[in-house]
């Protein structure tokens, strides 16, 4: 079990002059939601997520030795300089400097792209920060070849968390837990861990079709949303509920009970939005079409007994979750009844993946 102090790099030299690494990292969709955080990106409650496969960020990081003694970087998005990303990346580097002092010997050129719309309610900061953390750790491994794979991935998750909390769930594993929970072995507030129990075959290759209701910028950033949980009148009970629901979901993932899975996942999604609607200031992140889709899903499930459900992140888009053997039926339902509620008729077909990949 790694502690925070274990992640402070102790390198005798930074002898590598230049090089580059390229990683892809996926987004993830939380089943039990993380909402609210303490200082230094520590979650107020534990969460569990499905790692996605197709919604991902690809990031190439080139590095070159400098003599300045302070890190410098350029950030490009799909090949174009992106000055609006500079504050977030700079903040990330400042946060990880304590643990990766070697970054001060280099200039970094970061070139990143997504397979999905940026800042639209799909966790682009999660995939982006996970991909960047993997490249930073690749440099550290180059400087410390004796590093174990276990340490590599755990520290990558730790660093990713410092950029975006949910990014720590995008590093490794198909089902990932972040946050201390009494029933999850090895769980930690510092990094994500793979769900260690045997997952029932019902959830193998589980599908997530994402309906793009609104591809624009989110109404409120996740950082602002998390901060609204401070002094929220229902915060303490919400944090207790997350612990309870993670316990229930652990049993469900082991047993394969799809009805119970649906009940927990949809309740968690609506609770997340209820927290936003009852904060001060308050926000409604769903759009009218979000509600139309939810009601259509409920009607379809009741009429066909297909075990399909929805979840939401902090935005208007709807993630439709369902077993692999129901793909044909659910996609036909989406094409027949839901596409009209999507912006420009767009949706993304995704499924459970396994984390970051070196390219």
């Amino acid at each position: 079990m790694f502690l925070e102090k274990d992640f402070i790099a102790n390198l005798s030299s930074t002898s590598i002059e230049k090089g580059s690494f390229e990683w892809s990292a996926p987004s993830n969709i939380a089943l039990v939601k993380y909402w609210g955080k303490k200082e230094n990106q520590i979650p107020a409650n534990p969460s569990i997520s499905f790692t996605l496969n197709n919604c991902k960020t690809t990031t190439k990081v080139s590095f070159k030795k400098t003599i300045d003694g302070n890190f410098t970087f350029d950030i490009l998005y799909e090949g174009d300089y992106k000055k609006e990303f500079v504050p977030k990346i700079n903040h990330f580097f400042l946060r990880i400097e304590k643990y990766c002092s070697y970054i001060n010997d280099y200039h970094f050129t970061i070139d990143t792209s997504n397979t999905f719309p940026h800042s639209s309610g799909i966790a682009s900061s999660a995939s982006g920060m996970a991909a960047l953390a993997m490249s930073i750790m690749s440099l550290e491994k180059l400087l410390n070849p004796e590093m174990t794979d276990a340490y590599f991935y755990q520290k990558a998750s730790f660093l990713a968390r410092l950029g975006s909390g949910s990014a720590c769930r995008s590093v490794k594993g198909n089902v990932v837990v972040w946050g201390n929970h009494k029933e999850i072995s090895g769980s930690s507030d510092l990094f994500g861990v793979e769900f260690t129990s045997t997952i029932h075959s019902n959830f193998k290759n589980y599908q997530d079709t994402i309906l793009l209701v609104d591809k624009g910028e989110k109404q409120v950033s996740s950082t602002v949303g998390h901060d609204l949980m401070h002094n929220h009148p229902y915060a303490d009970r919400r944090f207790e509920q997350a612990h309870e629901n993670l316990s229930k979901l652990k049993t469900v993932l082991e047993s394969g009970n799809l009805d119970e899975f649906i009940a927990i996942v949809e309740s968690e999604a609506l609770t997340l939005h209820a927290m936003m609607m009852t904060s001060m200031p308050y926000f409604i992140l769903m759009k009218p079409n979000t509600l139309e889709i939810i009601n259509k899903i409920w009607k379809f499930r009741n009429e066909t007994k297909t075990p399909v459900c929805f979840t939401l992140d902090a935005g208007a888009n709807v993630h439709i979750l369902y077993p692999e053997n129901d793909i044909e039926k659910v996609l036909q339902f989406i094409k027949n009844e839901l596409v009209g509620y999507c912006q420009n008729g767009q949706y993304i077909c995704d499924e459970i993946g396994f984390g970051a990949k070196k390219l």
Side-chain angles (χ1 to χ4, degrees):
M1 180 70 172
F2 296 111
L3 305 175
E4 185 172 353
K5 64 181 178 60
D6 297 325
F7 294 127
I8 299 174
N10 183 20
L11 304 173
S12 57
S13 68
T14 52
S15 57
I16 308 299
E17 290 293 325
K18 63 180 180 179
S20 65
F21 297 99
E22 188 170 13
W23 283 84
S24 71
S27 184
N28 64 77
I29 180 64
L31 307 173
V32 171
K33 307 295 183 180
Y34 140 65
W35 200 243
K37 60 186 174 183
K38 306 170 189 175
E39 288 185 12
N40 209 29
Q41 298 287 89
I42 298 298
N45 66 265
S47 58
I48 186 169
S49 59
F50 280 157
T51 307
L52 298 181
N53 188 55
N54 302 329
C55 289
K56 60 189 176 184
T57 298
T58 297
T59 299
K60 182 177 182 179
V61 176
S62 303
F63 59 92
K64 186 176 182 180
K65 195 85 174 283
T66 66
I67 56 173
D68 295 343
N70 291 296
F71 66 81
T72 55
F73 66 89
D74 296 312
I75 176 71
L76 296 89
Y77 179 69
E78 296 183 347
D80 295 323
Y81 181 67
K82 206 74 171 172
K83 66 179 181 179
E84 56 265 46
F85 287 5
V86 169
K88 190 174 182 72
I89 301 299
N90 189 64
H91 193 48
F92 171 68
F93 276 122
L94 288 171
R95 276 179 166 170
I96 71 169
E97 189 177 13
K98 174 182 176 182
Y99 310 99
C100 309
S101 58
Y102 53 85
I103 64 173
N104 287 310
D105 292 338
Y106 294 98
H107 173 80
F108 299 93
T109 300
I110 304 162
D111 196 348
T112 187
S113 62
N114 290 337
T115 61
F116 56 92
H118 174 73
S119 294
S120 63
I122 303 173
S124 58
S125 60
S127 55
M129 287 301 177
L132 179 54
M134 299 307 291
S135 287
I136 296 295
M137 283 307 298
S138 292
L139 172 57
E140 184 171 326
K141 179 142 177 107
L142 208 58
L143 298 168
N144 177 19
E146 303 303 311
M147 182 189 299
T148 65
D149 284 349
Y151 181 86
F152 177 93
Y153 282 101
Q154 214 73 97
K155 184 169 178 179
S157 181
F158 173 87
L159 296 179
R161 187 198 96 239
L162 296 175
S164 171
S166 58
C168 74
R169 299 191 309 244
S170 284
V171 168
K172 188 181 182 188
N174 54 356
V175 178
V176 180
V177 176
W178 171 39
N180 281 320
H181 189 276
K182 62 183 181 181
E183 295 176 33
I184 306 295
S185 175
S187 59
S188 172
D189 289 341
L190 300 178
F191 44 76
V193 298
E194 294 182 74
F195 183 72
T196 54
S197 300
T198 300
I199 298 172
H200 194 277
S201 59
N202 282 352
F203 298 105
K204 184 180 180 182
N205 298 328
Y206 218 69
Q207 303 295 298
D208 178 6
T209 301
I210 306 158
L211 306 186
L212 299 177
V213 174
D214 183 5
K215 292 170 62 180
E217 292 282 336
K218 290 187 289 188
Q219 180 185 346
V220 58
S221 73
S222 295
T223 298
V224 171
H226 286 295
D227 286 346
L228 292 174
M229 289 299 284
H230 296 300
N231 302 314
H232 193 293
Y234 308 127
D236 289 344
R237 178 64 193 113
R238 163 57 200 155
F239 301 146
E240 291 172 4
Q241 180 196 42
H243 279 270
E244 293 162 4
N245 280 345
L246 209 161
S247 293
K248 293 176 184 175
L249 198 60
K250 177 180 182 292
T251 301
V252 165
L253 291 172
E254 294 165 348
S255 69
N257 187 328
L258 292 175
D259 289 338
E260 189 66 18
F261 176 83
I262 289 167
I264 296 167
V265 168
E266 291 190 343
S267 171
E268 277 286 318
L270 295 175
T271 298
L272 168 65
H273 284 256
M275 292 298 103
M276 290 298 290
M277 287 190 277
T278 51
S279 63
M280 189 60 73
Y282 40 80
F283 295 92
I284 298 177
L285 302 184
M286 289 186 274
K287 302 290 186 184
N289 281 359
T290 308
L291 295 173
E292 292 286 353
I293 289 167
I294 289 171
N295 279 302
K296 289 280 188 180
I297 291 170
W298 284 343
K299 184 172 184 286
F300 175 75
R301 188 169 72 221
N302 287 334
E303 289 178 351
T304 67
K305 307 306 178 187
T306 305
V308 58
C309 69
F310 72 87
T311 190
L312 310 164
D313 269 338
N317 297 331
V318 182
H319 291 249
I320 302 182
L321 303 176
Y322 52 96
E324 183 182 30
N325 58 12
D326 288 309
I327 287 179
E328 190 174 334
K329 189 188 305 183
V330 174
L331 288 182
Q332 195 60 52
F333 160 62
I334 290 169
K335 291 171 185 174
N336 290 347
E337 299 194 42
L338 302 184
V339 165
Y341 299 109
C342 300
Q343 189 172 338
N344 300 322
Q346 289 188 288
Y347 59 93
I348 300 171
C349 292
D350 213 329
E351 61 186 358
I352 287 183
F354 295 93
K357 297 177 182 176
K358 191 174 184 180
L359 304 176

